[in-house]
Amino acid sequence: MTELEYDVADHVATIRLNRPHKRNAFTFEMVNDWADRLVDAQADPEVRVIVVTGAGSGFCSGIDLSWVENHEQAPLEFKQALTDHIHRVPLALEGIDKPVIAAINGDAMGAGLDMALMCDLRLVSTTARMAMSYVRVGLVPGDGGCWLLPRLIGMPRALELLWTGDMVGAERAAELGMVNSVHEPDKLLDATYALAARLAAAPPVAVRMIKRTAYQSQRLDFRTSLDLISSHMGVVRSTDDSVEAYRAFTEKRTGKFVGR
C-alpha cells in the first residue's frame, strides 16, 4: 500500500493521501511524491481537473511530528529541507492552471490546512475540523498559511485563527469563506466529483485561461489586467473549442471539447 495514491479517470486526476493511521500526516518522501503527481497532472493533456482528498477519516494533519523528531536538523538545514521538500507542493500548485479541488473529508490541521487552502476550491464534510495549529506546538505556519488565509477571510479573522490555533468546524469555515460548500460525509465525494465533471466538461483552454487571469489579476492594476485579458481573449477565441462552444450554445446541445 502506497502512502499516496494517484489515478486518472474521465479527465479528473485524484491524489489521495493514504496514511489513515496517522490522519494522513506526511513525511518528506510522501510530500515529494505529492509534488511529483501534481507536476504529472499538469503535464498530462488527459487531465482537466485535479481532486485532492484523504483516506480514512482525516484529510491531512500536517507533517508527521514523530517523523520530524527522528530527523533532527540544524536551523539552516531545516530551512533548506522545507524548500527542497514541503514547499515543492505549493510551488507546484502555483504553476498549475487547471482547477484543483480539495475534498476535505476530515480534520485538516497545520500544514494540512495550508495544503487545502492552496487548492482553488474546497468542499468539506460536516464532520471535518480545521485549525492553524502551529502555535500550539510553538511553531509558525511553514507552508503558506500566513499568505493564504488573510487573502481568503481578511487579516483580522486570519490573525485570530493563526494566533489562537482555534479549531473551526465545517459550518463556521463556510461562514468565514474558507470553504465553498459543506456536505454530509457520505455525499462529499459525490458532490466533489460532480463539480469536477462539470469543470472537466467545459472548454479546457478557456477554463485554464480564466484561472491564470483570476490569480494574476490579484497582483495587477485594473488597466494591466484588462490588457492581459484582451490577449487571452484573442488566443482563446482562435481555438477549435471556442468555435465548438459557440455552436453548441446556439444549437442547444452539449459541446464536445478537445483542448485546442
Side-chain angles (χ1 to χ4, degrees), residues 1 11 22 25 27 35 37 45 57 68-69 90 110 117 126 141-143 167 181 189 204 236 242:
M1 186 175 67
H11 299 298
K22 289 285 190 176
T27 63
R37 298 294 78 75
S57 59
V68 171
E69 290 170 1
L117 296 180
T126 56
D143 210 17
M167 202 84 71
S181 56
L189 289 182
V236 171
S242 181

Side-chain angles (χ1 to χ4, degrees), residues 15-143:
I15 295 174
R16 183 174 294 101
L17 313 181
N18 194 33
R19 298 185 80 216
H21 60 293
K22 289 285 190 176
R23 293 192 301 158
N24 298 315
F26 56 78
T27 63
F28 282 1
E29 290 85 356
M30 180 180 169
V31 86
N32 283 335
D33 194 17
W34 189 346
D36 289 342
R37 298 294 78 75
L38 288 169
V39 172
D40 291 343
Q42 172 66 14
D44 188 348
E46 288 300 309
V47 173
R48 298 182 183 178
V49 181
I50 302 166
V51 170
V52 182
T53 192
S57 59
F59 176 75
C60 180
S61 57
I63 193 167
D64 188 333
L65 294 178
S66 65
W67 186 90
V68 171
E69 290 170 1
N70 294 323
H71 294 76
E72 286 295 334
Q73 295 170 307
L76 184 59
E77 292 173 336
F78 190 76
K79 174 181 171 58
Q80 193 62 48
L82 287 176
T83 301
D84 293 344
H85 300 285
I86 296 178
H87 289 175
R88 288 187 61 211
V89 172
L91 292 175
L93 282 165
E94 189 178 40
I96 290 176
D97 59 5
K98 302 174 182 182
V100 183
I101 305 172
I104 305 174
N105 55 301
D107 289 354
M109 304 293 173
L113 179 54
D114 287 346
M115 297 297 196
L117 296 180
M118 292 171 207
C119 298
D120 302 310
L121 305 174
R122 285 160 294 282
L123 279 65
V124 63
S125 163
T126 56
T127 60
R129 301 175 302 169
M130 286 147 275
M132 279 294 177
S133 52
Y134 295 95
V135 72
R136 296 183 187 176
V137 291
L139 296 175
V140 296
D143 210 17

Side-chain angles (χ1 to χ4, degrees), residues 132-133 135-136 157-167:
M132 279 294 177
S133 52
V135 72
R136 296 183 187 176
R157 287 176 170 175
L159 283 174
E160 180 181 355
L161 295 181
L162 290 163
W163 281 334
T164 64
D166 281 351
M167 202 84 71

